[in-house]
Amino acid sequence: MTQNTADAGIRTVIVTGGGSPRGIGRATARRVARDGFAVAVIDLDGAAAEETARLVAEEFGVPTIGVAANVTDEASVDAAVSAIEAALPPVSGLANIAGITSPVPFFDTTLDEWNRVMGINATGTYVVTKRVAQGMVERGHGHIVNMSSVSAQRGGGVFGKVPYSAAKAAILGFTRALARELGPTGVTVNAVTPGVVSTDIRAGATTDELEAKLAADVPLGRQATADDIANLFAFLLSDESAYITGSTYDINGGSHIN
Ligand SMILES: NC(=O)c1ccc[n+]([C@@H]2O[C@H](COP(=O)([O-])OP(=O)(O)OC[C@H]3O[C@@H](n4cnc5c(N)ncnc54)[C@H](O)[C@@H]3O)[C@@H](O)[C@H]2O)c1
């Protein structure tokens, strides 16, 4: 933790998967801090979460905390969120960004791989949301934004294959059903479906040639930056989006046009 000032009027955004230096989570943490939110970073890599928190506090002067948690583990998430709630102002936003991809073809997919990909992407979103939304409902205010992917809409076709596409599609159903259920409480729930984003999620499983091809296939002619996606998260985490719920926001450079 870098600061601990529960100033009246300041509210907190929790970002999961915010440790990765070039990732969408860290970019979102920076972006909402720029808007004046206190920021709590959750990541499996606790040192990376703490580093994001420290860098964001230094750059933007907002209260921050970085905590280790495995989003698939209820006890771990409960401990992390309790620490956040004790340290920072009331939580008004949750960005469920922690996730992994998987390029394994269907007949090579083991049940362990299926469970790992479904677990971190889909079950993790459920576990964190269930814990964090309780306080939002009590306060009658909150914005939850879930990370899906264009792979859920196109049936893969970018990098992740069947388990990834299935997990990200599960997040869309989760988002829509929860939006309906929490609407009367004043809590909004939306999903974001990026196309290919230039981060380290494919590190070790990609090549420069594939990365160039992924960019060339996009009508706008480039991969998204993490900041492109963070800008959309920031809007959906703010009261500017107060009347939007149950929606899916495409952000893919034109690679999937409905
Ligand atoms: N990069 C893309 O092209 C792209 C496109 C569409 C959607 N997405 C989604 O965006 C999200 C972020 O992706 P990124 O590209 O920034 O990836 P990244 O690998 O840079 O960051 C993911 C972060 O999640 C954390 N994480 C992994 N498992 C976790 C767990 N069990 N508990 C807590 N934290 C965990 C990692 O430590 C890492 O910091 C993912 O959900 C991904 O599926 C990415």
Side-chain angles (χ1 to χ4, degrees), residues 16-26 42-45 48 69-72 96-101 119-121 147-151 158 164 168 171 192-202 223 226 229:
T16 74
S20 181
R22 291 197 333 115
I24 299 164
R26 184 174 286 186
I42 290 176
D43 203 285
L44 193 58
D45 182 341
N70 181 343
V71 294
T72 66
N96 280 309
I97 295 178
I100 55 167
T101 188
I120 296 173
N121 290 292
M147 180 64 92
S148 178
S149 166
V150 74
S151 294
V158 182
Y164 184 70
K168 293 305 192 184
I171 290 171
V192 172
T193 48
V196 64
V197 188
S198 179
T199 71
D200 293 327
I201 196 168
R202 295 175 295 280
Q223 299 191 9
I229 313 303

mmCIF file of all heavy atoms in Angstrom, residues 16-26 42-45 48 69-72 96-101 119-121 147-151 158 164 168 171 192-202 223 226 229, ligand 1:
data_model
loop_
_atom_site.group_PDB
_atom_site.id
_atom_site.type_symbol
_atom_site.label_atom_id
_atom_site.label_comp_id
_atom_site.label_asym_id
_atom_site.label_seq_id
_atom_site.Cartn_x
_atom_site.Cartn_y
_atom_site.Cartn_z
ATOM 1 N N THR A 16 -8.679 -6.023 -11.562
ATOM 2 C CA THR A 16 -8.014 -7.322 -11.459
ATOM 3 C C THR A 16 -7.098 -7.517 -12.666
ATOM 4 O O THR A 16 -7.330 -6.953 -13.741
ATOM 5 C CB THR A 16 -9.011 -8.498 -11.391
ATOM 6 O OG1 THR A 16 -9.586 -8.726 -12.690
ATOM 7 C CG2 THR A 16 -10.112 -8.236 -10.376
ATOM 8 N N GLY A 17 -6.040 -8.294 -12.476
ATOM 9 C CA GLY A 17 -5.078 -8.494 -13.569
ATOM 10 C C GLY A 17 -4.307 -7.233 -13.880
ATOM 11 O O GLY A 17 -3.865 -7.028 -15.008
ATOM 12 N N GLY A 18 -4.115 -6.397 -12.864
ATOM 13 C CA GLY A 18 -3.479 -5.105 -13.084
ATOM 14 C C GLY A 18 -1.980 -5.092 -12.896
ATOM 15 O O GLY A 18 -1.351 -4.028 -12.921
ATOM 16 N N GLY A 19 -1.364 -6.252 -12.720
ATOM 17 C CA GLY A 19 0.071 -6.278 -12.470
ATOM 18 C C GLY A 19 0.921 -6.189 -13.724
ATOM 19 O O GLY A 19 1.991 -5.567 -13.723
ATOM 20 N N SER A 20 0.491 -6.809 -14.796
ATOM 21 C CA SER A 20 1.288 -6.938 -16.014
ATOM 22 C C SER A 20 1.735 -5.564 -16.538
ATOM 23 O O SER A 20 0.905 -4.703 -16.836
ATOM 24 C CB SER A 20 0.437 -7.657 -17.065
ATOM 25 O OG SER A 20 1.143 -7.825 -18.252
ATOM 26 N N PRO A 21 3.072 -5.336 -16.678
ATOM 27 C CA PRO A 21 3.566 -3.987 -17.015
ATOM 28 C C PRO A 21 2.993 -3.415 -18.306
ATOM 29 O O PRO A 21 2.719 -2.226 -18.382
ATOM 30 C CB PRO A 21 5.087 -4.200 -17.130
ATOM 31 C CG PRO A 21 5.371 -5.352 -16.234
ATOM 32 C CD PRO A 21 4.165 -6.251 -16.346
ATOM 33 N N ARG A 22 2.820 -4.254 -19.334
ATOM 34 C CA ARG A 22 2.289 -3.754 -20.619
ATOM 35 C C ARG A 22 0.827 -4.132 -20.815
ATOM 36 O O ARG A 22 0.287 -4.034 -21.913
ATOM 37 C CB ARG A 22 3.115 -4.318 -21.790
ATOM 38 C CG ARG A 22 4.521 -3.777 -21.859
ATOM 39 C CD ARG A 22 5.180 -3.994 -23.222
ATOM 40 N NE ARG A 22 4.703 -5.118 -23.995
ATOM 41 C CZ ARG A 22 4.064 -5.005 -25.170
ATOM 42 N NH1 ARG A 22 3.821 -3.826 -25.691
ATOM 43 N NH2 ARG A 22 3.674 -6.085 -25.826
ATOM 44 N N GLY A 23 0.159 -4.557 -19.718
ATOM 45 C CA GLY A 23 -1.182 -5.102 -19.854
ATOM 46 C C GLY A 23 -2.289 -4.065 -19.791
ATOM 47 O O GLY A 23 -2.088 -2.899 -19.440
ATOM 48 N N ILE A 24 -3.495 -4.536 -20.123
ATOM 49 C CA ILE A 24 -4.669 -3.672 -20.132
ATOM 50 C C ILE A 24 -5.044 -3.271 -18.701
ATOM 51 O O ILE A 24 -5.534 -2.170 -18.465
ATOM 52 C CB ILE A 24 -5.839 -4.397 -20.835
ATOM 53 C CG1 ILE A 24 -5.468 -4.718 -22.291
ATOM 54 C CG2 ILE A 24 -7.110 -3.548 -20.782
ATOM 55 C CD1 ILE A 24 -6.379 -5.755 -22.957
ATOM 56 N N GLY A 25 -4.783 -4.162 -17.744
ATOM 57 C CA GLY A 25 -5.110 -3.854 -16.344
ATOM 58 C C GLY A 25 -4.319 -2.664 -15.825
ATOM 59 O O GLY A 25 -4.884 -1.738 -15.219
ATOM 60 N N ARG A 26 -3.004 -2.680 -16.061
ATOM 61 C CA ARG A 26 -2.195 -1.546 -15.586
ATOM 62 C C ARG A 26 -2.595 -0.260 -16.302
ATOM 63 O O ARG A 26 -2.676 0.818 -15.696
ATOM 64 C CB ARG A 26 -0.693 -1.809 -15.749
ATOM 65 C CG ARG A 26 0.139 -0.669 -15.173
ATOM 66 C CD ARG A 26 1.638 -0.937 -15.181
ATOM 67 N NE ARG A 26 2.053 -1.889 -14.158
ATOM 68 C CZ ARG A 26 3.332 -2.188 -13.892
ATOM 69 N NH1 ARG A 26 4.299 -1.604 -14.568
ATOM 70 N NH2 ARG A 26 3.645 -3.052 -12.938
ATOM 71 N N ILE A 42 -5.483 -5.896 -8.066
ATOM 72 C CA ILE A 42 -5.410 -7.305 -7.673
ATOM 73 C C ILE A 42 -4.698 -8.057 -8.780
ATOM 74 O O ILE A 42 -5.002 -7.873 -9.952
ATOM 75 C CB ILE A 42 -6.823 -7.899 -7.470
ATOM 76 C CG1 ILE A 42 -7.488 -7.306 -6.218
ATOM 77 C CG2 ILE A 42 -6.773 -9.420 -7.395
ATOM 78 C CD1 ILE A 42 -8.929 -7.765 -6.005
ATOM 79 N N ASP A 43 -3.746 -8.922 -8.399
ATOM 80 C CA ASP A 43 -3.096 -9.768 -9.399
ATOM 81 C C ASP A 43 -2.559 -11.011 -8.708
ATOM 82 O O ASP A 43 -2.215 -10.981 -7.519
ATOM 83 C CB ASP A 43 -1.953 -9.027 -10.113
ATOM 84 C CG ASP A 43 -1.636 -9.619 -11.482
ATOM 85 O OD1 ASP A 43 -1.014 -10.708 -11.537
ATOM 86 O OD2 ASP A 43 -2.025 -9.017 -12.502
ATOM 87 N N LEU A 44 -2.471 -12.085 -9.480
ATOM 88 C CA LEU A 44 -1.836 -13.307 -8.993
ATOM 89 C C LEU A 44 -0.403 -13.012 -8.566
ATOM 90 O O LEU A 44 0.106 -13.576 -7.601
ATOM 91 C CB LEU A 44 -1.850 -14.345 -10.134
ATOM 92 C CG LEU A 44 -1.538 -15.794 -9.820
ATOM 93 C CD1 LEU A 44 -2.489 -16.363 -8.777
ATOM 94 C CD2 LEU A 44 -1.609 -16.626 -11.101
ATOM 95 N N ASP A 45 0.237 -12.135 -9.291
ATOM 96 C CA ASP A 45 1.605 -11.692 -9.002
ATOM 97 C C ASP A 45 1.518 -10.475 -8.068
ATOM 98 O O ASP A 45 1.327 -9.341 -8.515
ATOM 99 C CB ASP A 45 2.302 -11.334 -10.323
ATOM 100 C CG ASP A 45 3.758 -10.907 -10.127
ATOM 101 O OD1 ASP A 45 4.133 -10.541 -8.998
ATOM 102 O OD2 ASP A 45 4.503 -10.937 -11.131
ATOM 103 N N ALA A 48 3.929 -7.537 -8.629
ATOM 104 C CA ALA A 48 3.559 -6.724 -9.791
ATOM 105 C C ALA A 48 2.366 -5.831 -9.470
ATOM 106 O O ALA A 48 2.305 -4.669 -9.895
ATOM 107 C CB ALA A 48 3.240 -7.631 -10.974
ATOM 108 N N ALA A 69 -3.895 -11.893 -5.207
ATOM 109 C CA ALA A 69 -5.031 -12.811 -5.074
ATOM 110 C C ALA A 69 -5.142 -13.629 -6.344
ATOM 111 O O ALA A 69 -4.802 -13.162 -7.430
ATOM 112 C CB ALA A 69 -6.344 -12.069 -4.831
ATOM 113 N N ASN A 70 -5.618 -14.851 -6.165
ATOM 114 C CA ASN A 70 -5.976 -15.693 -7.300
ATOM 115 C C ASN A 70 -7.478 -15.556 -7.503
ATOM 116 O O ASN A 70 -8.260 -15.923 -6.621
ATOM 117 C CB ASN A 70 -5.602 -17.147 -6.989
ATOM 118 C CG ASN A 70 -5.917 -18.079 -8.143
ATOM 119 O OD1 ASN A 70 -6.682 -17.744 -9.055
ATOM 120 N ND2 ASN A 70 -5.339 -19.253 -8.104
ATOM 121 N N VAL A 71 -7.888 -15.023 -8.640
ATOM 122 C CA VAL A 71 -9.316 -14.714 -8.838
ATOM 123 C C VAL A 71 -10.202 -15.953 -8.810
ATOM 124 O O VAL A 71 -11.423 -15.828 -8.676
ATOM 125 C CB VAL A 71 -9.558 -13.918 -10.145
ATOM 126 C CG1 VAL A 71 -8.916 -12.539 -10.062
ATOM 127 C CG2 VAL A 71 -9.103 -14.697 -11.376
ATOM 128 N N THR A 72 -9.618 -17.132 -8.949
ATOM 129 C CA THR A 72 -10.438 -18.346 -8.914
ATOM 130 C C THR A 72 -10.653 -18.864 -7.496
ATOM 131 O O THR A 72 -11.380 -19.839 -7.301
ATOM 132 C CB THR A 72 -9.796 -19.488 -9.742
ATOM 133 O OG1 THR A 72 -8.573 -19.890 -9.103
ATOM 134 C CG2 THR A 72 -9.509 -19.045 -11.164
ATOM 135 N N ASN A 96 -13.007 -6.284 -14.201
ATOM 136 C CA ASN A 96 -12.580 -7.689 -14.196
ATOM 137 C C ASN A 96 -11.741 -7.946 -15.434
ATOM 138 O O ASN A 96 -12.267 -8.285 -16.501
ATOM 139 C CB ASN A 96 -13.812 -8.610 -14.195
ATOM 140 C CG ASN A 96 -14.421 -8.758 -12.827
ATOM 141 O OD1 ASN A 96 -13.724 -9.067 -11.845
ATOM 142 N ND2 ASN A 96 -15.726 -8.550 -12.727
ATOM 143 N N ILE A 97 -10.431 -7.784 -15.283
ATOM 144 C CA ILE A 97 -9.529 -7.845 -16.443
ATOM 145 C C ILE A 97 -8.609 -9.067 -16.408
ATOM 146 O O ILE A 97 -8.138 -9.516 -17.454
ATOM 147 C CB ILE A 97 -8.729 -6.526 -16.543
ATOM 148 C CG1 ILE A 97 -9.694 -5.366 -16.849
ATOM 149 C CG2 ILE A 97 -7.636 -6.601 -17.597
ATOM 150 C CD1 ILE A 97 -9.061 -3.994 -16.935
ATOM 151 N N ALA A 98 -8.388 -9.666 -15.232
ATOM 152 C CA ALA A 98 -7.499 -10.838 -15.158
ATOM 153 C C ALA A 98 -7.971 -11.901 -16.136
ATOM 154 O O ALA A 98 -9.166 -12.204 -16.216
ATOM 155 C CB ALA A 98 -7.488 -11.399 -13.740
ATOM 156 N N GLY A 99 -7.039 -12.452 -16.888
ATOM 157 C CA GLY A 99 -7.417 -13.498 -17.831
ATOM 158 C C GLY A 99 -6.197 -14.091 -18.498
ATOM 159 O O GLY A 99 -5.087 -13.554 -18.418
ATOM 160 N N ILE A 100 -6.416 -15.246 -19.120
ATOM 161 C CA ILE A 100 -5.357 -15.913 -19.894
ATOM 162 C C ILE A 100 -5.971 -16.352 -21.213
ATOM 163 O O ILE A 100 -7.185 -16.538 -21.321
ATOM 164 C CB ILE A 100 -4.780 -17.145 -19.162
ATOM 165 C CG1 ILE A 100 -5.914 -18.121 -18.784
ATOM 166 C CG2 ILE A 100 -3.974 -16.723 -17.950
ATOM 167 C CD1 ILE A 100 -5.418 -19.483 -18.352
ATOM 168 N N THR A 101 -5.115 -16.546 -22.215
ATOM 169 C CA THR A 101 -5.594 -17.065 -23.487
ATOM 170 C C THR A 101 -5.046 -18.469 -23.691
ATOM 171 O O THR A 101 -4.255 -18.970 -22.883
ATOM 172 C CB THR A 101 -5.212 -16.131 -24.650
ATOM 173 O OG1 THR A 101 -5.865 -16.574 -25.834
ATOM 174 C CG2 THR A 101 -3.709 -16.069 -24.865
ATOM 175 N N GLY A 119 -11.664 -21.340 -15.831
ATOM 176 C CA GLY A 119 -11.545 -20.943 -14.425
ATOM 177 C C GLY A 119 -11.089 -19.503 -14.275
ATOM 178 O O GLY A 119 -11.746 -18.700 -13.598
ATOM 179 N N ILE A 120 -9.978 -19.154 -14.878
ATOM 180 C CA ILE A 120 -9.428 -17.808 -14.668
ATOM 181 C C ILE A 120 -10.308 -16.752 -15.341
ATOM 182 O O ILE A 120 -10.611 -15.710 -14.753
ATOM 183 C CB ILE A 120 -7.960 -17.731 -15.152
ATOM 184 C CG1 ILE A 120 -7.102 -18.665 -14.296
ATOM 185 C CG2 ILE A 120 -7.444 -16.299 -15.094
ATOM 186 C CD1 ILE A 120 -5.670 -18.817 -14.757
ATOM 187 N N ASN A 121 -10.764 -17.039 -16.561
ATOM 188 C CA ASN A 121 -11.564 -16.032 -17.263
ATOM 189 C C ASN A 121 -12.991 -15.946 -16.718
ATOM 190 O O ASN A 121 -13.444 -14.856 -16.332
ATOM 191 C CB ASN A 121 -11.592 -16.341 -18.763
ATOM 192 C CG ASN A 121 -10.248 -16.107 -19.434
ATOM 193 O OD1 ASN A 121 -9.792 -14.981 -19.554
ATOM 194 N ND2 ASN A 121 -9.587 -17.176 -19.846
ATOM 195 N N MET A 147 -14.211 -8.149 -18.831
ATOM 196 C CA MET A 147 -13.400 -8.317 -20.033
ATOM 197 C C MET A 147 -13.799 -9.581 -20.786
ATOM 198 O O MET A 147 -13.545 -10.690 -20.336
ATOM 199 C CB MET A 147 -11.918 -8.394 -19.649
ATOM 200 C CG MET A 147 -11.004 -8.568 -20.826
ATOM 201 S SD MET A 147 -11.046 -7.172 -21.956
ATOM 202 C CE MET A 147 -9.687 -6.186 -21.292
ATOM 203 N N SER A 148 -14.424 -9.384 -21.925
ATOM 204 C CA SER A 148 -14.680 -10.502 -22.834
ATOM 205 C C SER A 148 -13.666 -10.392 -23.976
ATOM 206 O O SER A 148 -12.526 -9.972 -23.752
ATOM 207 C CB SER A 148 -16.134 -10.448 -23.321
ATOM 208 O OG SER A 148 -16.395 -11.489 -24.229
ATOM 209 N N SER A 149 -14.045 -10.747 -25.176
ATOM 210 C CA SER A 149 -13.123 -10.694 -26.318
ATOM 211 C C SER A 149 -13.912 -10.850 -27.613
ATOM 212 O O SER A 149 -14.975 -11.494 -27.623
ATOM 213 C CB SER A 149 -12.098 -11.828 -26.222
ATOM 214 O OG SER A 149 -11.424 -11.995 -27.460
ATOM 215 N N VAL A 150 -13.364 -10.329 -28.681
ATOM 216 C CA VAL A 150 -13.963 -10.559 -29.997
ATOM 217 C C VAL A 150 -14.023 -12.056 -30.306
ATOM 218 O O VAL A 150 -14.853 -12.504 -31.101
ATOM 219 C CB VAL A 150 -13.177 -9.781 -31.086
ATOM 220 C CG1 VAL A 150 -11.846 -10.457 -31.371
ATOM 221 C CG2 VAL A 150 -13.978 -9.627 -32.358
ATOM 222 N N SER A 151 -13.167 -12.826 -29.651
ATOM 223 C CA SER A 151 -13.180 -14.283 -29.861
ATOM 224 C C SER A 151 -14.514 -14.906 -29.461
ATOM 225 O O SER A 151 -14.907 -15.940 -30.018
ATOM 226 C CB SER A 151 -12.046 -14.943 -29.068
ATOM 227 O OG SER A 151 -10.800 -14.542 -29.571
ATOM 228 N N VAL A 158 -8.729 -15.156 -33.873
ATOM 229 C CA VAL A 158 -7.643 -14.213 -33.620
ATOM 230 C C VAL A 158 -6.440 -15.017 -33.123
ATOM 231 O O VAL A 158 -5.482 -15.236 -33.855
ATOM 232 C CB VAL A 158 -8.052 -13.125 -32.612
ATOM 233 C CG1 VAL A 158 -6.911 -12.135 -32.407
ATOM 234 C CG2 VAL A 158 -9.310 -12.404 -33.088
ATOM 235 N N TYR A 164 -10.976 -20.613 -24.829
ATOM 236 C CA TYR A 164 -10.933 -19.153 -24.633
ATOM 237 C C TYR A 164 -12.218 -18.505 -25.144
ATOM 238 O O TYR A 164 -12.821 -17.666 -24.467
ATOM 239 C CB TYR A 164 -9.717 -18.584 -25.363
ATOM 240 C CG TYR A 164 -9.500 -17.095 -25.168
ATOM 241 C CD1 TYR A 164 -9.081 -16.586 -23.935
ATOM 242 C CD2 TYR A 164 -9.692 -16.205 -26.211
ATOM 243 C CE1 TYR A 164 -8.869 -15.223 -23.762
ATOM 244 C CE2 TYR A 164 -9.484 -14.841 -26.049
ATOM 245 C CZ TYR A 164 -9.068 -14.356 -24.816
ATOM 246 O OH TYR A 164 -8.857 -13.003 -24.649
ATOM 247 N N LYS A 168 -14.918 -16.558 -22.807
ATOM 248 C CA LYS A 168 -15.257 -15.142 -23.027
ATOM 249 C C LYS A 168 -16.730 -14.982 -23.393
ATOM 250 O O LYS A 168 -17.341 -13.947 -23.108
ATOM 251 C CB LYS A 168 -14.344 -14.544 -24.095
ATOM 252 C CG LYS A 168 -12.873 -14.432 -23.668
ATOM 253 C CD LYS A 168 -12.696 -13.648 -22.381
ATOM 254 C CE LYS A 168 -11.251 -13.269 -22.103
ATOM 255 N NZ LYS A 168 -11.075 -12.593 -20.800
ATOM 256 N N ILE A 171 -18.744 -14.986 -20.252
ATOM 257 C CA ILE A 171 -18.719 -13.665 -19.599
ATOM 258 C C ILE A 171 -19.810 -12.754 -20.154
ATOM 259 O O ILE A 171 -20.384 -11.940 -19.423
ATOM 260 C CB ILE A 171 -17.308 -13.051 -19.728
ATOM 261 C CG1 ILE A 171 -16.328 -13.837 -18.834
ATOM 262 C CG2 ILE A 171 -17.307 -11.568 -19.380
ATOM 263 C CD1 ILE A 171 -14.867 -13.482 -19.034
ATOM 264 N N VAL A 192 -16.810 -5.669 -22.347
ATOM 265 C CA VAL A 192 -15.964 -5.086 -23.387
ATOM 266 C C VAL A 192 -15.382 -6.242 -24.214
ATOM 267 O O VAL A 192 -14.909 -7.231 -23.654
ATOM 268 C CB VAL A 192 -14.836 -4.244 -22.745
ATOM 269 C CG1 VAL A 192 -13.837 -3.779 -23.781
ATOM 270 C CG2 VAL A 192 -15.436 -3.061 -21.994
ATOM 271 N N THR A 193 -15.440 -6.100 -25.553
ATOM 272 C CA THR A 193 -14.965 -7.168 -26.437
ATOM 273 C C THR A 193 -13.857 -6.647 -27.362
ATOM 274 O O THR A 193 -14.110 -6.304 -28.524
ATOM 275 C CB THR A 193 -16.118 -7.733 -27.291
ATOM 276 O OG1 THR A 193 -16.837 -6.624 -27.877
ATOM 277 C CG2 THR A 193 -17.072 -8.564 -26.479
ATOM 278 N N PRO A 194 -12.615 -6.593 -26.859
ATOM 279 C CA PRO A 194 -11.524 -6.112 -27.715
ATOM 280 C C PRO A 194 -11.163 -7.116 -28.803
ATOM 281 O O PRO A 194 -11.334 -8.327 -28.638
ATOM 282 C CB PRO A 194 -10.345 -5.965 -26.743
ATOM 283 C CG PRO A 194 -10.920 -6.040 -25.380
ATOM 284 C CD PRO A 194 -12.152 -6.871 -25.505
ATOM 285 N N GLY A 195 -10.632 -6.579 -29.900
ATOM 286 C CA GLY A 195 -9.919 -7.413 -30.860
ATOM 287 C C GLY A 195 -8.505 -7.601 -30.360
ATOM 288 O O GLY A 195 -8.260 -7.644 -29.151
ATOM 289 N N VAL A 196 -7.553 -7.680 -31.263
ATOM 290 C CA VAL A 196 -6.184 -7.960 -30.840
ATOM 291 C C VAL A 196 -5.541 -6.698 -30.229
ATOM 292 O O VAL A 196 -5.636 -5.609 -30.789
ATOM 293 C CB VAL A 196 -5.363 -8.534 -32.005
ATOM 294 C CG1 VAL A 196 -5.211 -7.537 -33.134
ATOM 295 C CG2 VAL A 196 -4.010 -9.013 -31.536
ATOM 296 N N VAL A 197 -4.932 -6.896 -29.063
ATOM 297 C CA VAL A 197 -4.322 -5.796 -28.315
ATOM 298 C C VAL A 197 -2.840 -6.106 -28.124
ATOM 299 O O VAL A 197 -2.475 -7.249 -27.802
ATOM 300 C CB VAL A 197 -4.988 -5.618 -26.928
ATOM 301 C CG1 VAL A 197 -4.484 -4.346 -26.251
ATOM 302 C CG2 VAL A 197 -6.506 -5.610 -27.047
ATOM 303 N N SER A 198 -2.002 -5.110 -28.294
ATOM 304 C CA SER A 198 -0.559 -5.301 -28.158
ATOM 305 C C SER A 198 -0.169 -5.325 -26.683
ATOM 306 O O SER A 198 0.027 -4.284 -26.058
ATOM 307 C CB SER A 198 0.171 -4.162 -28.886
ATOM 308 O OG SER A 198 1.564 -4.329 -28.735
ATOM 309 N N THR A 199 -0.112 -6.539 -26.111
ATOM 310 C CA THR A 199 0.323 -6.751 -24.726
ATOM 311 C C THR A 199 1.190 -8.009 -24.711
ATOM 312 O O THR A 199 1.490 -8.570 -25.766
ATOM 313 C CB THR A 199 -0.882 -6.983 -23.786
ATOM 314 O OG1 THR A 199 -1.443 -8.280 -24.076
ATOM 315 C CG2 THR A 199 -1.955 -5.916 -23.941
ATOM 316 N N ASP A 200 1.531 -8.485 -23.518
ATOM 317 C CA ASP A 200 2.378 -9.682 -23.418
ATOM 318 C C ASP A 200 1.576 -10.964 -23.214
ATOM 319 O O ASP A 200 2.152 -12.004 -22.877
ATOM 320 C CB ASP A 200 3.376 -9.500 -22.263
ATOM 321 C CG ASP A 200 4.377 -8.397 -22.583
ATOM 322 O OD1 ASP A 200 4.720 -8.237 -23.772
ATOM 323 O OD2 ASP A 200 4.796 -7.693 -21.643
ATOM 324 N N ILE A 201 0.246 -10.915 -23.426
ATOM 325 C CA ILE A 201 -0.572 -12.106 -23.140
ATOM 326 C C ILE A 201 -0.194 -13.283 -24.036
ATOM 327 O O ILE A 201 -0.352 -14.435 -23.647
ATOM 328 C CB ILE A 201 -2.088 -11.784 -23.250
ATOM 329 C CG1 ILE A 201 -2.919 -12.891 -22.571
ATOM 330 C CG2 ILE A 201 -2.508 -11.552 -24.696
ATOM 331 C CD1 ILE A 201 -4.383 -12.538 -22.379
ATOM 332 N N ARG A 202 0.307 -12.998 -25.251
ATOM 333 C CA ARG A 202 0.666 -14.087 -26.166
ATOM 334 C C ARG A 202 2.163 -14.417 -26.101
ATOM 335 O O ARG A 202 2.667 -15.215 -26.897
ATOM 336 C CB ARG A 202 0.280 -13.711 -27.613
ATOM 337 C CG ARG A 202 -1.212 -13.574 -27.826
ATOM 338 C CD ARG A 202 -1.558 -13.092 -29.228
ATOM 339 N NE ARG A 202 -1.092 -11.742 -29.513
ATOM 340 C CZ ARG A 202 -1.706 -10.620 -29.119
ATOM 341 N NH1 ARG A 202 -2.829 -10.686 -28.432
ATOM 342 N NH2 ARG A 202 -1.198 -9.428 -29.382
ATOM 343 N N GLN A 223 -2.787 -3.199 -34.269
ATOM 344 C CA GLN A 223 -3.344 -3.743 -33.040
ATOM 345 C C GLN A 223 -3.766 -2.587 -32.139
ATOM 346 O O GLN A 223 -3.222 -1.489 -32.228
ATOM 347 C CB GLN A 223 -2.309 -4.604 -32.309
ATOM 348 C CG GLN A 223 -1.830 -5.809 -33.106
ATOM 349 C CD GLN A 223 -1.016 -6.782 -32.260
ATOM 350 O OE1 GLN A 223 -0.944 -6.662 -31.047
ATOM 351 N NE2 GLN A 223 -0.412 -7.765 -32.917
ATOM 352 N N ALA A 226 -2.993 -0.955 -25.205
ATOM 353 C CA ALA A 226 -3.682 -1.159 -23.917
ATOM 354 C C ALA A 226 -4.443 0.107 -23.529
ATOM 355 O O ALA A 226 -5.535 0.031 -22.945
ATOM 356 C CB ALA A 226 -2.657 -1.541 -22.847
ATOM 357 N N ILE A 229 -7.992 0.412 -24.934
ATOM 358 C CA ILE A 229 -8.999 -0.374 -24.200
ATOM 359 C C ILE A 229 -9.279 0.279 -22.841
ATOM 360 O O ILE A 229 -10.420 0.347 -22.378
ATOM 361 C CB ILE A 229 -8.521 -1.833 -24.016
ATOM 362 C CG1 ILE A 229 -7.979 -2.414 -25.329
ATOM 363 C CG2 ILE A 229 -9.658 -2.687 -23.452
ATOM 364 C CD1 ILE A 229 -8.937 -2.393 -26.499
HETATM 365 N N1 LIG B 1 -4.266 -8.782 -25.443
HETATM 366 C C1 LIG B 1 -5.286 -9.059 -26.235
HETATM 367 O O1 LIG B 1 -5.138 -9.186 -27.472
HETATM 368 C C2 LIG B 1 -6.653 -9.236 -25.669
HETATM 369 C C3 LIG B 1 -7.768 -9.204 -26.528
HETATM 370 C C4 LIG B 1 -9.049 -9.376 -25.998
HETATM 371 C C5 LIG B 1 -9.205 -9.596 -24.646
HETATM 372 N N2 LIG B 1 -8.107 -9.638 -23.829
HETATM 373 C C6 LIG B 1 -8.318 -9.897 -22.411
HETATM 374 O O2 LIG B 1 -7.821 -8.791 -21.667
HETATM 375 C C7 LIG B 1 -7.409 -9.249 -20.370
HETATM 376 C C8 LIG B 1 -6.028 -8.716 -20.057
HETATM 377 O O3 LIG B 1 -5.172 -9.171 -21.059
HETATM 378 P P1 LIG B 1 -3.700 -8.585 -21.276
HETATM 379 O O4 LIG B 1 -3.463 -8.684 -22.727
HETATM 380 O O5 LIG B 1 -3.522 -7.316 -20.556
HETATM 381 O O6 LIG B 1 -2.869 -9.776 -20.584
HETATM 382 P P2 LIG B 1 -1.604 -9.812 -19.594
HETATM 383 O O7 LIG B 1 -1.125 -11.218 -19.650
HETATM 384 O O8 LIG B 1 -0.675 -8.698 -19.912
HETATM 385 O O9 LIG B 1 -2.272 -9.521 -18.182
HETATM 386 C C9 LIG B 1 -3.100 -10.459 -17.540
HETATM 387 C C10 LIG B 1 -2.902 -10.320 -16.038
HETATM 388 O O10 LIG B 1 -3.800 -11.236 -15.378
HETATM 389 C C11 LIG B 1 -3.098 -11.795 -14.284
HETATM 390 N N3 LIG B 1 -3.684 -13.090 -13.906
HETATM 391 C C12 LIG B 1 -3.625 -14.246 -14.601
HETATM 392 N N4 LIG B 1 -4.237 -15.210 -13.907
HETATM 393 C C13 LIG B 1 -4.690 -14.666 -12.757
HETATM 394 C C14 LIG B 1 -5.378 -15.173 -11.630
HETATM 395 N N5 LIG B 1 -5.737 -16.462 -11.554
HETATM 396 N N6 LIG B 1 -5.675 -14.321 -10.628
HETATM 397 C C15 LIG B 1 -5.312 -13.011 -10.694
HETATM 398 N N7 LIG B 1 -4.648 -12.476 -11.726
HETATM 399 C C16 LIG B 1 -4.333 -13.306 -12.746
HETATM 400 C C17 LIG B 1 -1.669 -11.954 -14.784
HETATM 401 O O11 LIG B 1 -0.737 -12.093 -13.716
HETATM 402 C C18 LIG B 1 -1.489 -10.666 -15.581
HETATM 403 O O12 LIG B 1 -0.967 -9.613 -14.785
HETATM 404 C C19 LIG B 1 -7.539 -10.767 -20.395
HETATM 405 O O13 LIG B 1 -8.769 -11.147 -19.788
HETATM 406 C C20 LIG B 1 -7.571 -11.083 -21.873
HETATM 407 O O14 LIG B 1 -8.239 -12.303 -22.147
HETATM 408 C C21 LIG B 1 -6.845 -9.451 -24.304
#
